[in-house]
Amino acid sequence: MKGKNRVLWTVGLLTLCGGLLVAQPSFGQSGQKVVIPFDFESRFDNGRYGQMVGEMIWQKLHREGGFLIPDSMTDVRDFCEMNGIKVGPETPLEKVRDIVKSGFDADIAIWGSVERAPGHSTDVYDLVIKCVDFSTPTPTVIYEKSARTNSVSEIPHLYVQQLLDALYGRQPGSPPPPDPIAEENWKKNPNLIIGGDFERAINGVPVGWEDRAGQDREPLGRLVAWVPEPGNPQNHVIRFTFDRGVGDSTGVMYYSLPFQVQEGATYRFQCRWRSNGPAVKVFIKCYAEMPSEYRVESPGTGSRTGAKMPGVSSATNRVNSSTGRRAAYPDWSQMRECYRSQQNLKGPLNTWNIHTEDFTPRHTQYTPTWGRVMLYAYLGEGTVEFDDIVIKQIIPPSPGEGKKDPRRSLASGVTLKEMEERERASRSDAAQGPPPMSPQRSSSGSR
């Protein structure tokens, strides 16, 4: 389970169901209420879209915290399947109460249905959402809604958001409450960015950062330089300096060296920055291993490396300033970007600003394992400075994070396996050729 005090999905009491002994989830005493989100009913596609809605609600509860929830929707799904449990909008409250209290030893249930609206092929759905607290003798309805959507985006951004506002007892549009686990981890966990404070450098190259910058991968010193902070020479910063020709075309970029990430974990990025005019962004790019014969750039030097060459440039194996050990980087010629967090930095000019934003690396087909920070400035001419780059893991991934059916995108409900099966069926039908034509009758009726 997820929450302030993490309670694992353990084998507790045994429930006799249909002649089978089935493991029942057991919970510790934490003082927090336990919420069970169920897969929504979706008969039009045999439950696929309903599972996506249930998974989305679990992810939002996981991100906001404040309640105990299962380690993954797979745990709920497996328990329901083993016990023959089906919860839909027509299920009586007393039956749902018995499932939640006796089956899950929980307090609150979220369930419902999402069905394609008659006469519509896409986007328009008939949605039912129910959220009920069964912790008291008389069930308390927290949220109940039946609606026909005008677009599919209304489900997460309107109705599920209304559900969360009601569950957390806040005014609509209010920010989610701070997650105590995330805040504690933000205080105590290590910074994944080696040399994020830019205080150490070797021959003018900050430890933990590349020795080249810009679209043309030129050495540090012109577009990007490691310099003392004006007025505070004991502190060092990274300074971008460029003219309008560069700012209005490619802009200027500068990469950190790679750091390891876990798919499904939540990370927090923070930096100090200031600009006298140009726009500023930060990209956190995450990568997965995808073997290829193409040549790609090795982080650290900007040199081109063939896929068959072992490892990457020795410049990427810099000493870790906190441990004194050399970081073991992957063969970067085999790594491809599969996730990107774009963070738009906003603040007044000519003063230090602090930007903080969370992100969660995830991909439907590949598993991101490494990340890099890309500092970026563009538009017009001027100077931009960065300092104190921090990335920390604030919420670990759930145990069920790796249990996924690969899909082309997060928006697709069709798995790669289903696409392959359809392709094989299509090729098989084509190979069989068209069906034989039936004999035609002549105008006289003879054959």
Side-chain angles (χ1 to χ4, degrees), residues 54 57 80 119 139 164 177 180 198 231 240 282 287 300 307 335 390 397-398 406-407 412 447:
I57 292 173
C80 289
L164 295 175
F198 299 115
F240 289 18
V282 170
Y287 304 80
M335 306 300 287
V390 178
S398 70
R407 291 174 283 129
S412 174
R447 292 186 179 275

Side-chain angles (χ1 to χ4, degrees), residues 293-314:
E293 293 297 321
Y294 287 103
R295 293 177 175 271
V296 298
E297 238 174 44
S298 295
T301 64
S303 62
R304 297 281 172 173
T305 312
K308 295 182 179 180
M309 293 180 66
V312 292
S313 166
S314 60

